[in-house]
Amino acid sequence: MPDINSFQGSYANEEPVTEKQFVADGILPPEQVGQLRPSDPNLPIEELRERLEKDNYLFLKGLLPREDVLKAREGYFKFLSPSGVLKPGTEPVEGIFDMSKDIAGFPGIGAGGTAGNGKPGGDQAAVFVDLALQAHMEDFYAEDFCKHPALISFIAKLTGWGDNTLMFRRSLLRNNIPGAHAIGVHYDQIFLRHGDSVSNITAWCPMGDIKVTGGGLIYLENSKSIGQEIEAEFFRKAEEVCFTDEEAKYAFNSNMMATGLLSEEPSAFAKQFNRRWLVSAYEAGDVVLHDAFAIHASTINKDPEGVIRLATDLRFCDSSRPYDKRWCNFYRVGDGV
């Protein structure tokens, strides 16, 4: 990887991505793929703010202690091991999928695979899904990881919110089994409409190393303005059909896809807006902060060793401004968000 302090512009010194990027509508062509710009968290705070504003994301290398992230990863897979998800003879922290099992029994949470944020997988996946949901409330995650002081203090400083920095209790702790359904194209404000649109930020935290082919998040370059335009158009349509305020804010209303997504086809979406998808490998301890209108998705996990991609979306707001109080509760299926 290039020196993270050597970038002078969005794509200066960018190295080509040679690995194939699999998405729901095929393989992203080379002209649709670029590289995320990494940043050192120790750079001057004003420079980091400028990067976030310019790029709509901030890819922070090693913000969290690696050992703390791996401890949470180990706790998660120990907790889910009764479901049979792990390959026999491997360590929980490795998170290696038992490839002899049917992936249909191990669906991702909140990945746009079910309408209205319903419960995925049916009866065959019940044990796995129930454990994955319960994991959101376990201390190894909800207390030790989500409330990590290195993350909270950094966001409070970067945003300038200080003591008004509020981390929403609702988070999205998601696993991505090799070959399973990828996360569709979306921006986060779709699901945060009951608050204002200027004081939300998401911290996407890989909980373990993720190869560039391992199903990590991908970001549509320079997409904040596109997200804002799409959101404005959604509300124009809502007004035309006389939606109530509540109906207009609902992420799964009739003007939206049933899953709340913009598209299930990242390649076609990139072509429509003439933008590239920016990708990267990730390491335990990395964090990507992104704007609420930054458009993102994920690739299909093609890890050759069967490593399960585990990551979480932690969302923060300025509590001195109106915010979406639906996010003050733990994640549950069918919660309208």
Side-chain angles (χ1 to χ4, degrees):
M1 191 187 77
D3 177 4
I4 61 177
N5 291 319
S6 67
F7 288 81
Q8 300 301 316
S10 292
Y11 308 112
N13 298 333
E14 181 184 353
E15 296 178 353
V17 178
T18 58
E19 297 89 345
K20 292 180 179 179
Q21 302 296 307
F22 291 83
V23 291
D25 55 338
I27 299 173
L28 293 176
E31 66 272 16
Q32 287 188 356
V33 180
Q35 187 183 73
L36 280 176
R37 171 164 67 151
S39 294
D40 185 338
N42 296 308
L43 287 171
I45 200 69
E46 286 300 328
E47 182 174 348
L48 293 173
R49 288 171 180 159
E50 289 172 5
R51 288 188 177 200
L52 177 60
E53 178 62 27
K54 180 179 181 180
D55 296 341
N56 315 145
Y57 69 85
L58 190 61
F59 176 20
L60 299 162
K61 294 296 298 179
L63 178 65
L64 301 177
R66 178 178 177 84
E67 59 272 18
D68 293 351
V69 178
L70 293 180
K71 182 179 179 181
R73 178 180 177 87
E74 181 179 37
Y76 177 85
F77 284 115
K78 280 183 176 179
F79 189 73
L80 263 71
S81 62
S83 70
V85 67
L86 297 179
K87 180 180 179 180
T90 61
E91 295 297 323
V93 71
E94 296 176 279
I96 297 177
F97 179 56
D98 183 352
M99 299 298 285
S100 70
K101 303 287 181 63
D102 182 354
I103 63 173
F106 306 94
I109 299 296
T114 56
N117 188 33
K119 189 173 183 177
D123 292 343
Q124 65 176 329
V127 173
F128 178 77
V129 171
D130 287 346
L131 287 171
L133 291 171
Q134 180 62 34
H136 287 77
M137 294 173 273
E138 295 298 307
D139 283 351
F140 69 81
Y141 173 71
E143 296 297 324
D144 300 340
F145 185 83
C146 293
K147 297 179 181 179
H148 201 292
L151 178 61
I152 294 174
S153 62
F154 183 89
I155 290 177
K157 181 179 179 182
L158 179 75
T159 59
W161 298 338
D163 292 341
N164 291 322
T165 303
L166 173 67
M167 185 191 74
F168 288 122
R169 177 174 289 178
R170 188 184 193 275
S171 64
L172 295 169
L173 177 57
R174 295 194 267 214
N175 52 73
N176 187 344
I177 301 292
H181 183 84
I183 298 170
V185 180
H186 68 286
Y187 54 85
D188 293 348
Q189 186 61 28
I190 291 171
F191 307 99
L192 291 160
R193 287 173 174 160
H194 284 247
D196 73 18
S197 61
V198 297
S199 60
N200 296 309
I201 193 168
T202 295
W204 183 73
C205 306
M207 296 175 68
D209 297 340
I210 302 173
K211 300 180 182 69
V212 73
T213 56
L217 278 201
I218 58 177
Y219 289 85
L220 194 69
E221 66 178 338
N222 301 324
S223 62
K224 177 179 178 178
S225 61
I226 297 173
Q228 290 172 324
E229 291 168 7
I230 292 173
E231 184 75 349
E233 180 61 21
F234 279 140
F235 275 91
R236 281 194 292 270
K237 289 181 179 179
E239 186 175 357
E240 288 174 2
V241 296
C242 300
F243 276 179
T244 65
D245 183 61
E246 182 69 23
E247 289 171 332
K249 292 177 178 178
Y250 184 50
F252 312 107
N253 69 49
S254 58
N255 284 336
M256 312 285 295
M257 292 180 66
T259 55
L261 300 175
L262 302 177
S263 174
E264 290 279 10
E265 300 181 336
S267 183
F269 194 88
K271 183 177 181 180
Q272 177 184 353
F273 290 98
N274 192 29
R275 295 286 198 278
R276 299 185 302 172
W277 286 106
L278 305 181
V279 309
S280 182
Y282 301 97
E283 297 174 290
D286 294 348
V287 173
V288 185
L289 304 181
H290 63 252
D291 186 276
F293 287 102
I295 295 173
H296 52 288
S298 81
T299 56
I300 296 171
N301 184 353
K302 293 288 186 177
D303 189 286
E305 298 172 348
V307 176
I308 301 168
R309 188 272 266 174
L310 180 65
T312 187
D313 297 58
L314 303 179
R315 298 199 169 119
F316 297 80
C317 74
D318 177 356
S319 63
S320 70
R321 300 177 63 91
Y323 60 89
D324 194 332
K325 293 179 173 58
R326 299 174 303 170
W327 283 77
C328 293
N329 301 309
F330 283 115
Y331 178 97
R332 59 182 177 83
V333 294
D335 61 7
V337 188

